[in-house]
Amino acid sequence: MSRRALITGITGQDGSYLAEHLLELGYEVWGLVRGQANPHVSRLRKHIGDVQITTGDLLDQGSLISAVERVQPDEVYNLGAISYVPMSWQQAELTAEVTGMGVLRMLEAIRVVSGISPSRTPDREQIRFYQASSSEMFGMVRETPQNEKTPFHPRSPYGVAKSYGHYITQNYRESYGMFAVSGILFNHESPRRGAEFVTRKVSLGAARIKLGLATELRLGNLDARRDWGYAGDYARAMRLMLAQDAPEDYVIGTGQTQSVRELVEFAFRTADLNWEDHVVLDAKYTRPAEVDLLCADPKKAREQLGWEPEVTFEGLVTMMVESDLRLLSDSARPEDEPFSPDHW
């Protein structure tokens, strides 16, 4: 019998790569989506293939219980979130409800359906739960690089909500004996990344300028440094965490950093452009509380999971710029892409 996985946030970048990976491994894959007529479902199926869909909402406890009862999954991957950090200041309460409390609701759904209580512990065939934690939880970092024991100091409502989700996952593991893990993923990008994220904003900007569709790209802080990897590589790590004998949390990243300026320079060079001729600094794109440096220490994942990233930073940026050049050559509307920025 193949294993059955339920993925929240399946219409987003990470959900799409994870669904592809699990299907390749022979899984039966289900996606949780909001609403009966979600326009992204048909596009997802067109690109991903044999994915089954059930409805549910991270804001609604009852719908999650119903979804888990219907699917009867072996594994649940909670990737659903309001994941665009700048938006979390504009919609702080909604971010807390979806990105933070949504984790609690999904854990409760698994606990209720499984009949787990303080007096009844899970059996060996329990549902395994993966929570998508984030390097944004480290925020104002206490040490560099950051590992599984580095204290959190989040600098955005998104980072705070992710910290709550991380700790409630740990709490359910320790309180109920549930197989519940968190992957603390550093920045991971791809051609499927939403156009509002800085990596995709840069690759689309370079492509638009190259094709004569724009003359400038407006950006905020160019000095912030991030540990950028390829989302497809990180999807492999998620599955590996749930394949272990015991539940543990892992930091996933490349262990290398580049500045936004280096990202811009390489992307424009890939498009045979000089970035300084086109990039304009705009203070409105600066965060209220900036996170200056995030760099992973993935030693534990390397040693215990056998996980290594396969795509380099240069390979990732080249992939994204070339993809956007093809996309914009066919259509000037990247919003027609199949993977939704609104994926909870």
Side-chain angles (χ1 to χ4, degrees):
M1 295 290 291
S2 63
R3 293 185 68 79
R4 187 178 300 138
L6 174 62
I7 303 172
T8 73
I10 197 168
T11 62
Q13 168 191 256
D14 291 8
S16 69
Y17 280 111
L18 178 61
E20 283 182 328
H21 179 57
L22 295 179
L23 287 168
E24 289 171 357
L25 294 176
Y27 277 66
E28 179 182 322
V29 177
W30 288 72
L32 183 84
V33 300
R34 287 178 297 146
Q36 296 287 340
N38 191 309
H40 299 289
V41 172
S42 59
R43 298 177 189 173
L44 176 75
R45 283 192 171 130
K46 177 181 176 182
H47 285 76
I48 303 302
D50 191 19
V51 172
Q52 301 189 63
I53 298 298
T54 188
T55 57
D57 192 325
L58 290 173
L59 295 175
D60 179 18
Q61 181 72 77
S63 73
L64 298 181
I65 292 173
S66 296
V68 175
E69 285 182 329
R70 179 188 179 195
V71 175
Q72 292 293 308
D74 300 292
E75 300 169 4
V76 172
Y77 294 86
N78 186 45
L79 312 185
I82 293 177
S83 57
Y84 184 46
V85 176
M87 186 183 293
S88 73
W89 277 282
Q90 301 167 21
Q91 296 182 295
E93 183 178 352
L94 182 61
T95 298
E97 286 288 347
V98 175
T99 306
M101 290 294 292
V103 186
L104 172 63
R105 295 187 187 103
M106 183 54 79
L107 285 164
E108 269 294 286
I110 293 170
R111 187 188 68 78
V112 169
V113 172
S114 302
I116 299 168
S117 69
S119 60
R120 185 183 182 278
T121 58
D123 58 31
R124 291 185 61 189
E125 301 304 316
Q126 66 170 297
I127 298 171
R128 297 190 169 202
F129 175 81
Y130 171 85
Q131 165 59 15
S133 288
S134 169
S135 60
E136 289 286 331
M137 300 185 306
F138 294 120
M140 185 181 290
V141 298
R142 309 285 183 88
E143 60 185 11
T144 299
Q146 294 90 51
N147 60 37
E148 293 79 7
K149 297 182 179 179
T150 301
F152 298 152
H153 188 148
R155 298 266 284 171
S156 66
Y158 170 80
V160 173
K162 280 291 186 181
S163 298
Y164 174 84
H166 182 88
Y167 281 128
I168 201 65
T169 300
Q170 174 183 296
N171 187 260
Y172 269 61
R173 180 171 70 222
E174 295 175 353
S175 298
Y176 297 111
M178 293 172 62
F179 195 108
V181 307
S182 292
I184 307 174
L185 272 55
F186 280 64
N187 293 67
H188 45 289
E189 318 296 330
S190 76
R192 300 177 188 176
R193 181 53 111 178
E196 69 274 21
F197 290 85
V198 68
T199 47
R200 188 72 195 292
K201 184 177 180 180
V202 169
S203 65
L204 274 170
R208 284 193 175 106
I209 293 168
K210 179 66 175 179
L211 296 173
L213 302 173
T215 58
E216 68 177 28
L217 173 63
R218 306 185 78 86
L219 296 171
N221 180 14
L222 299 184
D223 295 322
R225 301 186 68 86
R226 292 291 185 272
D227 183 329
W228 277 302
Y230 171 54
D233 286 339
Y234 290 45
R236 290 189 291 107
M238 298 176 195
R239 206 280 307 180
L240 286 170
M241 291 181 212
L242 293 194
Q244 303 305 299
D245 292 334
E248 295 187 39
D249 302 330
Y250 294 87
V251 161
I252 303 296
T254 70
Q256 301 177 6
T257 67
Q258 288 82 25
S259 66
V260 176
R261 180 177 282 100
E262 290 171 294
L263 164 69
V264 171
E265 182 178 5
F266 191 82
F268 274 71
R269 189 189 315 151
T270 301
D272 196 25
L273 296 168
N274 180 0
W275 72 274
E276 293 177 306
D277 294 337
H278 303 284
V279 174
V280 177
L281 299 183
D282 190 331
K284 78 176 183 179
Y285 295 112
T286 302
R287 296 184 183 187
E290 184 60 84
V291 175
D292 296 317
L293 171 65
L294 293 173
C295 181
D297 177 2
K299 180 180 178 181
K300 180 180 176 182
R302 184 172 59 247
E303 294 180 349
Q304 295 189 17
L305 302 180
W307 179 84
E308 292 275 4
E310 295 178 356
V311 178
T312 65
F313 172 76
E314 292 78 11
L316 171 64
V317 177
T318 299
M319 178 196 308
M320 293 178 69
V321 172
E322 291 179 348
S323 173
D324 282 330
L325 284 168
R326 290 192 299 271
L327 174 71
L328 294 175
S329 294
D330 296 333
S331 166
R333 299 177 62 197
E335 61 269 22
D336 288 338
E337 295 173 276
F339 304 104
S340 168
D342 174 19
H343 57 263
W344 56 273

